[in-house]
Amino acid sequence: MASEAPTMTRRAFRLDRDRLGSLPAPPPQAPGARKTNAAIECGWGRLLFAHTFASSADLIEAMRQEKPGRRDIAMYLEDPHVVLSQAPHELFLDPSHTFRLRLAGWRARRHPRGFDVHRLRRRADVDAVNRIYGARGMVQVDPEFVWSQRESDALTHLVATDVVTSEVIGSVTGVDHAAAFHDPENGSSLWCLAVDPQAAYPGVGEALVGALAERFRSRGRSFMDLSVLHDNASAIALYEKLGFQRVPVFALKTKNSINEKLFAGPPTDTPLNPYAMIIINEARRRGIGVEVLDAEANYFRLSLGGRSVVCRESLSELTSAIAMSRCDDKAVSRRVLAAAGLSVPDQTTAGTPEEDRAFLDRHGRVVVKPLRGEQGHGITVDVRDPDTLAEAVERARRVCDTVLLEQLVEGQDLRVLVINHRVVAAAIRRPAEITGTGDRSIAELIEAQSRRRAAATGGESTIPMDAETERCVRTAGYAMDDVLPEGQVLAVRKTANLHTGGTLHDVTDQLHPALVEASVKAAQALDIPVTGLDLLVPDVGGPDYAIIEANERPGLANHEPQPTAERFIDLLFPYSAVQPGRD
């Protein structure tokens, strides 16, 4: 109802009939019994009159018909405990108070000068209302629907306009219950009160409330209800001053992304990294309890009913120690995958300089990586000569004593996320790159790009200014202090790891069935419920591939628009899953 707390004055108000225009005469009371299963479309969603529904099941099914991007509200709920017990994961009780203004004998006073209050006059007025809704963080309306309903008996859309500029500076919507469903109580309600935060005049919100109340009073309505969040103390104080009194009326809403902040509970006091927060936010959206155990290491516990699961980002107690150790040891994971008949590159353990050179000679180009490690630390890609090979081996040994040499396989770097042995997301990972401006050095461009990546990922993705970055620049024929020509694109890392500035580009819908099958087979061979597989592929639409690594704690963030966190929570708490097709 009253979705915002607009700027208001203490002055009471009286309707300016000249500005509002002639008011319609009260219609005769509609004959017949109260409508059953009554609902009215309001432009931002439907208002369902819960007390008219024949059964809880009918009401729940009606709420399930909420359209994407809309906010349906079931008002006047008589048995909230019964309805919620039947759909606890889909619906929640709105944490708002309902206030009622008795209209008999009530009069509005003239509002302050500077603006008029009237019905919609121009199609552009609806667009202006949506602009205000957007500024207030409210659900916007369907413009064509609202404009088509401007003369409706059941719906009343009022706007306040600046008398100088004719700009819309406020809006309110009213519902006439008698016209909507033959209400035997002869009531009405106020919804979506919003005032432009840049409005220059005080009292706009009060004037809109007063104008709507006067219209309903003139029709002979008995009362006007509105709803306000329980913690909006200033708005509650204002409505009480105007004569509104709190009544025990309840409203029901759906657990969608629009309503998340109303039912998810208070946010965690300790923010974690984006890979943990994407999971925590999805859990809270479903009413799952969150307890942060170690913020620095991103450990948290999720609890629902009698079940609790400790997670470290996407690594949970459901991943066995065996599965984790298989992924942690890259040589072991390669052997497991090869034994399952999957395509993997040739690999050996770094040994003497002569043995290492022999492997390099056999393949021409190799990758050097530590046996254990994550986030791309210690990896050198596209090694072509013995001196670079020796340097790369030494660099990898700083991360892990055992170092692997691997055949370099040409292709696009593909990350496939498999959860519960189903492919949930696939994305091409591209190494960090810069674009020349013609006046800035490569080092300056890298630093600027690194700052942008950090800002976009909450500090998780940056381009290291290290020996590997310098090697990549040098291999491309440049020095760090060279000015890169305008428009020239330069890859400054060979690996596409997000933590070293790489980017993800969704290709889930383009994935060849053979790649899907291989990814699922790999997860099954490793016996791991959640894994991020790194593949090199000539073409995501083709069947050829080589699996490079399997990650036991893949990042679920940055895979938009794929529902990675949703599928992860489905795995941990399968009975918390929302209905298919829901937000």
Side-chain angles (χ1 to χ4, degrees):
M1 292 184 184
S3 300
E4 298 292 332
T7 302
M8 300 185 177
T9 68
R10 292 186 175 273
R11 182 184 300 182
F13 37 69
R14 182 179 61 202
L15 178 65
D16 184 338
R17 293 179 180 274
D18 293 334
R19 290 178 176 177
L20 279 173
S22 59
L23 294 170
Q29 189 69 29
R34 181 180 72 182
K35 291 181 181 178
T36 59
N37 294 4
I40 183 171
E41 176 60 54
C42 298
W44 39 259
R46 296 173 302 156
L47 177 60
L48 292 81
F49 298 95
H51 58 316
T52 71
F53 278 74
S55 68
S56 297
D58 287 348
L59 179 60
I60 292 170
E61 185 56 36
M63 291 294 283
R64 286 172 176 159
Q65 305 308 312
E66 179 182 71
K67 296 179 181 178
R70 304 286 90 181
R71 171 186 275 172
D72 288 352
I73 302 174
M75 194 67 181
Y76 305 105
L77 188 64
E78 294 178 340
D79 297 307
H81 56 295
V82 176
V83 178
L84 291 177
S85 71
Q86 298 175 23
H89 303 308
E90 300 175 71
L91 306 175
F92 71 100
L93 205 59
D94 182 33
S96 296
H97 296 315
T98 302
F99 284 82
R100 176 167 293 177
L101 179 66
R102 300 290 179 179
L103 296 177
W106 187 86
R107 293 291 185 275
R109 293 186 178 181
R110 186 186 302 273
H111 64 69
R113 297 173 181 266
F115 59 91
D116 289 330
V117 176
H118 52 80
R119 277 184 178 264
L120 295 171
R121 292 174 178 169
R122 305 170 300 169
R123 170 61 177 75
D125 289 346
V126 187
D127 295 330
V129 170
N130 267 340
R131 177 185 58 79
I132 295 173
Y133 284 175
R136 290 295 190 181
M138 298 165 62
V139 178
Q140 296 185 328
V141 298
D142 176 356
E144 296 307 324
F145 170 81
V146 172
W147 181 244
S148 71
Q149 297 296 308
R150 63 189 182 279
E151 301 297 335
S152 169
D153 289 332
L155 287 175
T156 298
H157 296 283
L158 300 181
V159 293
T161 56
D162 188 308
V163 296
V164 177
T165 65
S166 297
E167 291 183 356
V168 174
I169 57 175
S171 173
V172 72
T173 300
V175 177
D176 188 323
H177 297 180
F181 66 99
H182 307 308
D183 180 19
E185 295 184 84
N186 200 29
S188 63
S189 54
L190 175 154
W191 300 89
C192 296
L193 175 64
V195 177
D196 190 333
Q198 303 300 322
Y201 308 104
V204 177
E206 279 193 16
L208 288 164
V209 173
L212 190 63
E214 183 63 20
R215 280 182 175 262
F216 286 141
R217 186 201 62 79
S218 69
R219 293 183 183 183
R221 300 298 162 252
S222 300
F223 60 84
M224 182 175 75
D225 288 348
L226 60 79
S227 180
V228 60
L229 279 174
H230 69 95
D231 57 357
N232 194 341
S234 60
I236 290 173
L238 171 72
Y239 295 135
E240 289 177 337
K241 178 179 73 76
L242 296 178
F244 285 83
Q245 295 180 330
R246 184 175 166 187
V247 291
V249 172
F250 302 101
L252 199 66
K253 294 180 180 178
T254 58
K255 288 186 175 180
N256 60 27
S257 57
I258 296 172
N259 295 323
E260 180 177 344
K261 64 182 180 180
L262 300 179
F263 65 81
T268 175
D269 293 333
T270 309
L272 307 182
N273 70 22
Y275 307 105
M277 289 306 300
I278 189 176
I279 297 169
I280 287 174
N281 289 338
E282 175 61 21
R284 293 178 63 248
R285 189 172 74 86
R286 301 192 192 188
I288 297 171
V290 178
E291 178 186 1
V292 176
L293 303 177
D294 186 333
E296 186 175 351
N298 295 287
Y299 282 94
F300 53 91
R301 178 185 288 113
L302 303 180
S303 302
L304 181 65
R307 179 180 176 83
S308 68
V309 183
V310 174
C311 304
R312 185 186 184 195
E313 299 167 6
S314 65
L315 177 64
S316 76
E317 293 176 298
L318 275 64
T319 297
S320 70
I322 294 297
M324 181 175 174
S325 64
R326 284 172 173 167
C327 292
D328 181 53
D329 188 318
K330 295 177 175 61
V332 171
S333 54
R334 178 191 175 279
R335 289 196 295 270
V336 170
L337 298 177
L342 296 164
S343 177
V344 293
D346 190 16
Q347 189 183 88
T348 188
T349 302
T352 66
E354 292 75 23
E355 291 170 334
D356 295 348
R357 280 197 296 271
F359 187 84
L360 175 62
D361 291 341
R362 184 159 65 250
H363 294 291
R365 300 163 67 188
V366 301
V367 177
V368 180
K369 62 175 72 173
L371 178 72
R372 290 184 172 85
E374 58 184 5
Q375 301 180 358
H377 296 312
I379 297 178
T380 305
V381 178
D382 197 9
V383 175
R384 308 184 186 193
D385 62 84
D387 290 341
T388 304
L389 178 61
E391 293 172 1
V393 170
E394 181 59 31
R395 189 179 303 120
R397 283 206 173 106
R398 297 174 195 151
V399 177
C400 179
D401 290 338
T402 303
V403 175
L404 300 176
L405 307 184
E406 189 173 86
Q407 170 193 5
L408 176 68
V409 178
E410 291 282 5
Q412 300 180 78
D413 190 329
L414 176 68
R415 163 61 64 91
V416 180
L417 188 62
V418 183
I419 299 178
N420 203 16
H421 297 164
R422 293 178 56 190
V423 171
V424 172
I428 290 295
R429 303 195 304 174
R430 294 176 183 160
E433 59 184 26
I434 57 174
T435 301
T437 61
D439 60 355
R440 303 178 70 182
S441 71
I442 290 175
E444 291 173 329
L445 294 171
I446 292 173
E447 290 171 352
Q449 176 67 1
S450 186
R451 287 194 297 270
R452 287 191 291 270
R453 290 294 297 144
T457 61
E460 290 297 311
S461 181
T462 57
I463 306 173
M465 294 292 284
D466 58 11
E468 175 61 12
T469 298
E470 292 181 3
R471 185 184 73 88
C472 293
V473 171
R474 187 170 60 251
T475 301
Y478 294 99
M480 295 294 282
D481 57 356
D482 286 347
V483 173
L484 195 62
E486 184 176 2
Q488 178 72 40
V489 176
L490 175 65
V492 296
R493 301 288 293 192
K494 290 290 186 178
T495 59
N497 194 281
L498 286 177
H499 289 85
T500 55
T503 57
L504 278 176
H505 307 268
D506 182 66
V507 293
T508 307
D509 295 336
Q510 306 168 34
L511 213 57
H512 191 278
L515 302 184
V516 174
E517 181 182 359
S519 299
V520 172
K521 189 174 181 180
Q524 292 171 335
L526 294 165
D527 195 18
I528 190 167
V530 179
T531 185
L533 297 164
D534 295 338
L535 290 74
L536 288 172
V537 298
D539 179 9
V540 296
D544 298 330
Y545 70 91
I547 301 180
I548 306 303
E549 288 186 16
N551 300 274
E552 74 278 5
R553 184 165 54 103
L556 303 187
N558 306 307
H559 277 281
E560 295 83 359
Q562 305 307 326
T564 57
E566 290 92 325
R567 297 296 82 82
F568 180 72
I569 297 297
D570 289 347
L571 169 70
L572 270 53
F573 299 93
Y575 296 108
S576 73
V578 294
Q579 292 290 322
R582 302 288 296 149
D583 281 340

